[in-house]
Amino acid sequence: MFDIQEELKKLPGRPGVYIMHDENDHIIYVGKAVSLKNRVRQYFQTSRNKGVKIEQMVTHIRRFEYIVTDSELEALVLECNLIKEHHPKYNTMLMDDKTYPFIKVTTGEAFPRVVLSRKMQKDKARYFGPYTSSQAVRDTIDLIHKLYHLRSCNRSLPRDIGKERPCLNYHIKQCDAPCQGYISQEEYGKSVNEVLKFLNGNYDAVLKDLEEKMNAASEALEFERAIEYRELISSVKKVAQKQKITDSSGEDRDVLAVASHEGDAVVQVFFIRGGRLIGRDHFYLRITDGESPSEILNSFIMQYYAGTPFIPGELMLQAEVEDREVLEEWLTSKRGQRVTIRVPKKGTKEKLVELAQENARLVLFRDRERIKREEGRTIGAVKEVAALLGLNEIVRMEAYDISNTNGFESVGSMVVYERGRPKRNDYRKFRIKGIQGADDYGSMREVLTRRFTHGLKEREESEELGKFTVFPDLIMMDGGKGQVNVALEVLDSLHLDIPVCGMVKDDHHRTRGLYYNNVEIPIDRSSEAFRLITRIQDEAHRFAIEYHRQLRGKGQVHSILDDIEGIGPARRKALMKNYAGLDEIRAASVEELAKIPSMNEKAAEAVYKFFHQ
């Protein structure tokens, strides 16, 4: 029995993270402290005014645990990781998982490329952005190829010069073919320097050069070429007006403000780069009643900047945050340069924060009804599923499916839904290694074993979150009793206790119910739970088939039949169509093999000898 008052006496006066559990041992809150002894005791002191949120949370606490760290900064990082992993009920949770694109110039290569990148890494490349529009980035990259003819291929140059023919981009005059040695590294480098100037906002020189070329072509009566230059001029002006691209080394800041009502909040972020407002975005948060703008912003900064690849030199907020100094230290360490958090009190900066706050308020009330409807489709649907299965709470669901072509080259898929929404960054693909033929049960056993073995290994070896570290609250199998039993056998062998249900379909391949604890539970077809289960089932199936087609399209699916002399694609396809797997082909006689369409006696003998020599 956990005695809270006795355990409070044992708390150390050191920095660390504390974790609150409810009566079902679920983590309901994670917090950090400069002194664990002082901070945790405050929750259980009746004389303190703790606010509605804390008062409500304390009534559910049945035990707590803590992790000691060497500094408050370490506690902040650990708190971020634990909140991201466990999604505690009483922590303010960022609902959006957005990433912003950069334009990357691979200046570390002998013949650099210009590509879209979702991450800003510490390499020899130059990065520009981030941008709020992926399409705008793609338009800019296309324009750069038309203007400067840089390569877009992944060939290793100069090693591979002359090894392959030039690609289509050379023939349509969007690449100078360094892969053929048609342009020297020195001349190519001059084009790269012009690209860097363009991305830094030097549009005037480009426009002047294009106008001179257009006029010259017009005077020479080369009207088609003049039209091409005119279209390029139009594209450059469009990009210049739309993007206002600046280098990431300039003076940049983000402006943050929040609006909240009951359990909903919106944080509006203005992105200022080089002194110019280049874009804005808003983020939805799940909060509890009574949280102040300061508390919401404090939580938002931790969660948002833990995942974004770009951190500006200054954050301007509408209210002071409790952890300003430690947040500044943490952001500075992530950025590699000084980061300052300010609350402007007057002038244009204060007006800008007020503008962000007004935009947050407009978004919140404009989208409030839509948010409620979306919550019904997602969180509400998950609650319905939990009620059907008799589970207290479900946050993360994982669904699995197997795809193959007549038993050949099986692949597995794992899709992840958190709070009723797909979490595509956590999707995983598996190529089946140890199973031959159309053995869906064996293939599923391999997929689940590999998934949870990797997860257990990651938990043992590192404190960082890996690809498989986070385990689901519910596993959903595409099938009934058989698939569920396979999953339960795997979990039992690994000493894991995770609920497993099967998504059962009728004779028309439509979902009809859930198989759980040896009972088939019917589902109301008009319910949000039914729609969510159908979406998850379809998504797992789509992801598996897409991966299988991708492998086949890339020529990566190689059958053992390809090694038989005289068996080409048509005959291999015929064999795969008529037999369930290699074992059946191996057992067939020459006469049986010869009866298959497109096969003859010579080909049948070759197949038979291949398996029986």
Side-chain angles (χ1 to χ4, degrees):
M1 184 68 180
F2 189 89
D3 189 327
I4 289 179
Q5 294 303 322
E6 284 298 318
E7 294 300 324
L8 287 173
K9 297 175 183 177
K10 302 175 185 177
L11 286 166
R14 293 180 55 184
V17 171
Y18 53 92
I19 305 163
M20 304 298 194
H21 295 254
D22 65 9
E23 60 273 12
N24 298 309
D25 211 32
H26 292 155
I27 295 175
I28 59 174
Y29 189 75
V30 175
K32 70 172 187 332
V34 180
S35 169
L36 287 166
K37 184 177 182 178
N38 295 338
R39 185 73 181 100
V40 178
R41 280 182 171 180
Q42 291 175 1
Y43 289 98
F44 303 97
Q45 293 175 356
T46 56
S47 60
R48 293 185 61 87
N49 181 17
K50 295 185 281 286
V52 176
K53 170 186 172 181
I54 301 302
E55 289 280 5
Q56 185 181 12
M57 180 191 74
V58 170
T59 63
H60 294 288
I61 297 174
R62 294 297 177 267
R63 74 177 184 92
F64 61 80
E65 57 182 316
Y66 57 87
I67 302 171
V68 174
T69 60
D70 289 330
S71 67
E72 190 180 2
L73 178 59
E74 285 185 14
L76 174 74
V77 175
L78 180 57
E79 180 190 20
C80 285
N81 291 338
L82 291 174
I83 290 173
K84 183 178 179 180
E85 179 176 357
H86 296 292
H87 299 272
K89 180 178 180 178
Y90 288 98
N91 282 96
T92 300
M93 292 301 304
L94 178 62
M95 305 302 289
D96 303 83
D97 188 17
K98 303 176 183 178
T99 58
Y100 296 98
F102 291 81
I103 292 178
K104 175 181 178 180
V105 184
T106 60
T107 48
E109 297 178 334
F111 292 89
R113 297 166 294 138
V114 180
V115 297
L116 182 148
S117 176
R118 291 283 178 181
K119 294 182 178 180
M120 188 175 183
Q121 300 173 324
K122 292 183 179 180
D123 51 21
K124 295 180 181 179
R126 291 282 302 278
Y127 291 85
F128 299 84
Y131 307 106
T132 56
S133 169
S134 297
Q135 188 56 50
V137 170
R138 293 187 179 94
D139 291 344
T140 302
I141 292 174
D142 287 343
L143 176 59
I144 286 171
H145 286 146
K146 291 176 183 177
L147 289 172
Y148 301 104
H149 305 168
L150 298 192
R151 70 187 182 104
S152 59
C153 65
N154 292 322
R155 297 177 187 178
S156 180
L157 304 179
R159 187 193 69 189
D160 293 340
I161 288 179
K163 289 187 177 180
E164 297 181 37
R165 291 181 297 176
C167 66
L168 179 63
N169 285 342
Y170 168 72
H171 296 290
I172 63 174
K173 298 180 181 180
Q174 288 192 19
C175 177
D176 288 330
C179 61
Q180 302 300 308
Y182 294 167
I183 183 173
S184 68
Q185 187 172 340
E186 182 181 1
E187 286 300 314
Y188 190 93
K190 291 179 181 178
S191 296
V192 173
N193 288 333
E194 292 302 313
V195 168
L196 295 175
K197 291 178 184 177
F198 179 82
L199 290 174
N200 274 312
N202 187 5
Y203 306 115
D204 293 341
V206 179
L207 289 169
K208 182 180 179 181
D209 180 55
L210 288 173
E211 286 173 358
E212 289 175 356
K213 289 179 178 178
M214 181 183 69
N215 293 331
S218 181
E219 291 174 4
L221 304 182
E222 297 177 352
F223 298 117
E224 289 186 5
R225 185 173 291 252
I227 291 173
E228 290 178 6
Y229 288 128
R230 186 186 68 189
E231 289 176 350
L232 285 175
I233 289 170
S234 176
S235 296
V236 171
K237 288 181 178 178
K238 182 179 178 182
V239 168
Q241 182 179 13
K242 189 174 183 179
Q243 285 301 309
K244 298 186 176 69
I245 298 172
T246 59
D247 194 341
S248 60
S249 63
E251 288 296 324
D252 309 320
R253 63 171 57 94
D254 287 352
V255 180
L256 290 78
V258 62
S260 61
H261 182 73
E262 296 179 350
D264 299 319
V266 168
V267 171
Q268 182 83 35
V269 182
F270 285 170
F271 304 106
I272 296 177
R273 303 293 179 258
R276 293 172 292 184
L277 179 64
I278 67 162
R280 64 176 184 173
D281 211 339
H282 57 266
F283 301 84
Y284 297 101
L285 294 98
R286 188 194 77 227
I287 64 172
T288 53
D289 291 344
E291 288 194 66
S292 66
S294 176
E295 292 172 315
I296 297 170
L297 287 172
N298 201 92
S299 297
F300 175 80
I301 290 169
M302 286 195 302
Q303 295 178 64
Y304 174 67
Y305 291 103
T308 184
F310 180 82
I311 298 174
E314 183 178 77
L315 305 185
M316 295 198 314
L317 314 180
Q318 77 182 81
E320 291 284 357
V321 288
E322 179 183 358
D323 301 319
R324 183 180 62 81
E325 291 182 2
V326 69
L327 284 172
E328 285 181 339
E329 184 182 356
W330 173 61
L331 292 168
T332 297
S333 66
K334 285 180 67 68
R335 184 173 186 255
Q337 293 177 291
R338 177 68 179 161
V339 177
T340 305
I341 297 176
R342 304 185 191 280
V343 180
K345 301 296 184 183
K346 60 181 180 180
T348 56
K349 291 182 179 180
E350 184 190 23
K351 296 294 183 184
L352 198 56
V353 172
E354 290 177 356
L355 182 62
Q357 186 177 358
E358 179 61 23
N359 275 268
R361 191 159 41 244
L362 289 172
V363 169
L364 177 64
F365 288 99
R366 180 195 69 198
D367 292 350
R368 187 164 177 77
E369 289 305 314
R370 183 186 62 79
I371 293 171
K372 290 300 181 185
R373 288 196 302 271
E374 178 65 17
E375 188 177 272
R377 292 181 66 250
T378 55
I379 298 173
V382 174
K383 289 180 179 178
E384 288 182 22
V385 173
L388 281 170
L389 302 179
L391 300 175
N392 289 319
E393 186 180 23
I394 299 173
V395 175
R396 180 184 175 100
M397 297 184 288
E398 292 181 2
Y400 296 84
D401 195 14
I402 300 294
S403 177
N404 58 63
T405 304
N406 294 329
F408 291 82
E409 299 294 346
S410 295
V411 299
S413 70
M414 164 184 146
V415 301
V416 179
Y417 275 63
E418 284 194 358
R419 301 189 183 280
R421 291 186 175 92
K423 191 177 183 183
R424 293 185 173 85
N425 287 342
D426 284 8
Y427 284 16
R428 295 291 175 259
K429 307 168 182 175
F430 302 84
R431 294 188 70 173
I432 306 304
K433 301 175 181 178
I435 303 295
Q436 290 288 340
D439 183 356
D440 282 357
Y441 288 168
S443 298
M444 186 60 72
R445 184 176 287 106
E446 178 183 323
V447 167
L448 293 171
T449 301
R450 285 165 57 186
R451 183 264 181 268
F452 288 104
T453 301
H454 280 314
L456 290 170
K457 187 177 180 181
E458 287 175 355
R459 289 183 171 195
E460 290 176 2
E461 293 181 353
S462 175
E463 294 182 1
E464 296 292 327
L465 292 178
K467 293 181 178 179
F468 296 102
T469 310
V470 182
F471 285 179
D473 302 302
L474 177 67
I475 296 173
M476 308 190 79
M477 307 301 296
D478 186 32
K481 182 178 180 180
Q483 290 284 17
V484 170
N485 286 341
V486 167
L488 291 173
E489 288 170 11
V490 172
L491 295 174
D492 185 59
S493 68
L494 298 173
H495 307 292
L496 294 173
D497 183 17
I498 301 174
V500 181
C501 74
M503 297 178 284
V504 185
K505 292 185 177 180
D506 59 21
D507 294 337
H508 301 286
H509 212 63
R510 294 176 302 191
T511 305
R512 75 175 185 220
L514 294 177
Y515 182 82
Y516 182 66
N517 283 346
N518 296 317
V519 176
E520 185 175 319
I521 304 169
I523 311 175
D524 180 1
R525 289 181 177 272
S526 64
S527 68
E528 291 294 349
F530 176 82
R531 296 187 183 97
L532 175 62
I533 291 165
T534 302
R535 289 197 298 273
I536 293 173
Q537 197 166 30
D538 291 343
E539 180 72 348
H541 191 54
R542 178 202 65 78
F543 193 55
I545 291 176
E546 182 182 87
Y547 179 41
H548 195 263
R549 286 175 178 168
Q550 178 188 358
L551 292 179
R552 290 177 63 83
K554 290 181 178 178
Q556 293 177 352
V557 174
H558 176 81
S559 171
I560 193 171
L561 300 176
D562 293 326
D563 298 328
I564 304 175
E565 187 176 350
I567 301 300
R571 286 174 175 164
R572 182 188 67 182
K573 186 176 181 180
L575 287 168
M576 292 168 64
K577 186 176 181 179
N578 283 270
Y579 293 99
L582 295 177
D583 290 339
E584 287 192 14
I585 297 174
R586 185 183 289 110
S589 65
V590 174
E591 292 76 16
E592 290 170 337
L593 291 168
K595 292 178 182 178
I596 296 172
S598 80
M599 294 285 287
N600 56 33
E601 189 172 347
K602 183 179 179 180
E605 287 178 355
V607 173
Y608 186 85
K609 288 180 180 178
F610 182 84
F611 284 107
H612 293 86
Q613 283 182 344

